[in-house]
Amino acid sequence: MKCLLLVLAITIQCTLAQSATYTDRYDTINLDDVLANKRLTVAYIKCVLDKGKCTNEGKELKSHIIEALQNGCSKCTKAQREGMRRVIRHLIKYEKGYWQELVEKYDPDRVFTQKYEKELNSI
């Protein structure tokens, strides 16, 4: 009985620890390929802006975007944090119009995005 309780306790701890971060299922997506392909980049942007169809990856991204912006991506894996920085840097530099649309939709008061812009423009 004690062994069963120990196994149950460990299982619960593992489940809680896993929920502390977003799924890493899409961490292996090659962002360089996505960002180099304007059609693909725009498709993801339109998904997030509710202006186009979403892939499973797009739906996952869209479901966490507000929370990730607000908490500095604290639930992100290391790959997701680095990917977020690369994508934001790319949008600021090469897709300014879409970046502004995303900011207006997800951070109209520019509370969170201003921090990212300042940080990424200084690099």
Side-chain angles (χ1 to χ4, degrees), residues 2 18 20 28 33 36 40 45 47 64 68 88 97 106-107 109 113 120 122:
K2 288 180 184 179
Q18 288 176 352
T28 58
D33 288 347
L40 195 52
I45 293 169
C47 159
H64 300 298
I88 290 174
Y106 291 102
D107 189 20
D109 296 328
T113 53
L120 294 172
S122 67

Side-chain angles (χ1 to χ4, degrees), residues 25-97:
R25 185 177 349 171
Y26 303 111
D27 283 8
T28 58
I29 290 176
N30 188 328
L31 286 178
D32 292 329
D33 288 347
V34 173
L35 296 174
N37 183 328
K38 176 115 176 155
R39 182 187 58 77
L40 195 52
T41 302
V42 169
Y44 276 108
I45 293 169
K46 286 185 176 183
C47 159
V48 172
L49 288 171
D50 296 320
K51 293 183 176 183
K53 293 182 180 179
C54 291
T55 61
N56 289 336
E57 298 91 357
K59 289 175 188 173
E60 184 74 26
L61 170 65
K62 192 164 71 167
S63 72
H64 300 298
I65 196 165
I66 292 174
E67 180 184 38
L69 272 175
Q70 292 174 348
N71 66 25
C73 214
S74 68
K75 289 186 176 181
C76 294
T77 64
K78 182 179 178 187
Q80 291 164 352
R81 227 175 268 109
E82 291 170 4
M84 179 190 74
R85 293 171 54 87
R86 286 177 44 213
V87 169
I88 290 174
R89 185 179 307 119
H90 177 85
L91 293 173
I92 290 170
K93 190 171 183 179
Y94 300 108
E95 303 291 346
K96 290 180 183 178

Side-chain angles (χ1 to χ4, degrees), residues 3-16:
C3 186
L4 179 63
L5 289 175
L6 180 62
V7 169
L8 183 60
I10 290 172
T11 303
I12 290 171
Q13 271 187 320
C14 289
T15 303
L16 291 174

Side-chain angles (χ1 to χ4, degrees), residues 116-123:
Y116 295 112
E117 289 174 337
K118 183 178 179 181
E119 178 184 330
L120 294 172
N121 282 328
S122 67
I123 296 174

